[in-house]
Amino acid sequence: MNLAFTVLEITAPVFLLAAIGFGWVKAGFDYQVRFVTQLAMSLSVPCLIFTSLMRTEIDPQALTKLSLAAVTAYAAVSVLAFLLVRIGRLDLRTYMAPIIFGNTGNLGLPLAMFAFGQAGLGYAVVVFAIMAIWSFTFGVWLVAGGGSLTKVVKEPLVGATVLGGIFLWQGWQTPVFLTNALDLIGQMAIPLMLITLGVAVARMHPGHIRRATWISLVKLVLCFGITWVVGRWFQLDKIAFAVLVIQISTPVAVTSYLLAEKYGADSESVAGLVVVSTLMSVIAIPLMLGILL
């Protein structure tokens, strides 16, 4: 019973904030997704990443081990996602990226923070940054036929991760007034991302729901199984292991839908994956947390 209440305390704020975004749109209110997303990804999330890494008390070697585990897990998921798409005779441009890339930002970061505190958030931002780099290169190449390493370098969240890692490694701290300002900006990130997730789901027009259901289920099992094996192989500590499993097992990212729409893939099918996998996570995430806690 105590475990059930603990899981509820972790997941309820996440889904309540997403429900606010969903209800906001259904009530007919305006919500500028592009502006809010740009504000979050260009300003608040980089500040959150930088301050989390700068102030974390996690051993840098543990972060390095987690980084290697995350790279290995994403490589394995990518290979198996390719095989799944080919065996299932699915369109590569439409389905492969959504199977690989989960919602590590909007959903993964707050889950890690609520479940494991500042240490969990420190681990989660590392996995999030690795996912972002892979997404901006390989992910864009999959959907559009070309990725850009230059674009990755210019991404604020990548710069924030590198800078935060340097501050962590050297033991540096920014002046208190600057840290407080960065904290305030970073605190916007998680509420904004969760509300935006709800807004995005409310506005989507999903298609091919039956196909989306079995793909979402296979994605969940595939990602959970791979990260479990990889995490054990790298002998991650309990929190790092749990964060890795949760982050990579998150439902299909909204950005997969935006990329499909932008580059002419089957956006309705991707929307179906986002909606179905997100709804599935309402049950799957508490079950995962029950296993991992």
Side-chain angles (χ1 to χ4, degrees):
M1 185 63 71
N2 288 337
L3 178 60
F5 278 118
T6 301
V7 171
L8 182 63
E9 288 172 355
I10 294 167
T11 56
V14 171
F15 292 115
L16 281 174
L17 279 171
I20 289 172
F22 187 92
W24 184 272
V25 170
K26 293 303 182 182
F29 297 121
D30 186 40
Y31 193 95
Q32 299 294 327
V33 171
R34 187 176 297 275
F35 166 74
V36 175
T37 301
Q38 186 171 2
L39 176 68
M41 299 302 289
S42 300
L43 183 61
S44 61
V45 173
C47 288
L48 177 67
I49 289 174
F50 174 73
T51 55
S52 297
L53 287 175
M54 178 181 68
R55 296 189 305 186
T56 188
E57 297 179 357
I58 301 171
D59 182 1
Q61 289 185 344
L63 288 178
T64 301
K65 186 186 289 188
L66 176 67
S67 300
L68 293 173
V71 169
T72 302
Y74 272 118
V77 169
S78 298
V79 171
L80 291 180
F82 175 78
L83 293 176
L84 174 63
V85 168
R86 287 305 188 202
I87 292 171
R89 297 182 179 179
L90 303 171
D91 180 53
L92 191 72
R93 291 178 61 227
T94 298
Y95 288 101
M96 187 166 171
I99 294 172
I100 298 171
F101 302 111
N103 211 337
T104 56
N106 299 56
L107 206 53
L109 292 181
L111 280 171
M113 184 185 72
F114 290 138
F116 305 107
Q118 194 65 32
L121 184 61
Y123 283 128
V125 296
V126 173
V127 180
F128 173 59
I130 290 169
M131 183 281 301
I133 293 171
W134 193 227
S135 176
F136 286 130
T137 51
F138 182 65
V140 173
W141 176 81
L142 276 176
V143 181
S148 172
L149 186 60
T150 304
K151 184 178 180 181
V152 174
V153 174
K154 291 180 179 178
E155 282 296 323
L157 65 88
V158 175
T161 303
V162 173
L163 193 60
I166 293 173
F167 270 65
L168 172 63
W169 175 45
Q170 294 293 331
W172 296 340
Q173 295 285 323
T174 53
V176 174
F177 77 91
L178 181 57
T179 302
N180 290 340
L182 294 173
D183 265 340
L184 285 174
I185 298 170
Q187 285 169 17
M188 295 190 299
I190 286 174
L192 280 178
M193 290 190 295
L194 286 173
I195 292 171
T196 303
L197 172 62
V199 170
V201 169
R203 287 180 175 172
M204 286 180 180
H205 303 286
H208 306 291
I209 297 300
R210 184 177 297 178
R211 180 185 295 172
T213 300
W214 75 259
I215 293 176
S216 298
L217 185 59
V218 171
K219 168 184 165 54
L220 175 63
V221 173
L222 182 74
C223 292
F224 184 85
I226 287 174
T227 50
W228 187 282
V229 172
V230 170
R232 292 304 186 200
W233 177 267
F234 278 88
Q235 298 181 331
L236 300 177
D237 66 59
K238 182 178 179 180
I239 295 179
F241 175 77
V243 168
L244 179 70
V245 172
I246 290 171
Q247 279 284 65
I248 298 183
S249 301
T250 49
V252 178
V254 176
T255 51
S256 294
Y257 167 75
L258 299 176
L259 284 175
E261 194 171 54
K262 180 177 180 179
Y263 293 111
D266 187 352
S267 59
E268 286 193 1
S269 293
V270 178
L273 287 171
V274 174
V275 172
V276 171
S277 64
T278 301
L279 291 175
M280 198 177 288
S281 71
V282 176
I283 297 173
I285 287 174
L287 288 175
M288 283 193 291
L289 286 170
I291 295 171
L292 294 167
L293 288 177

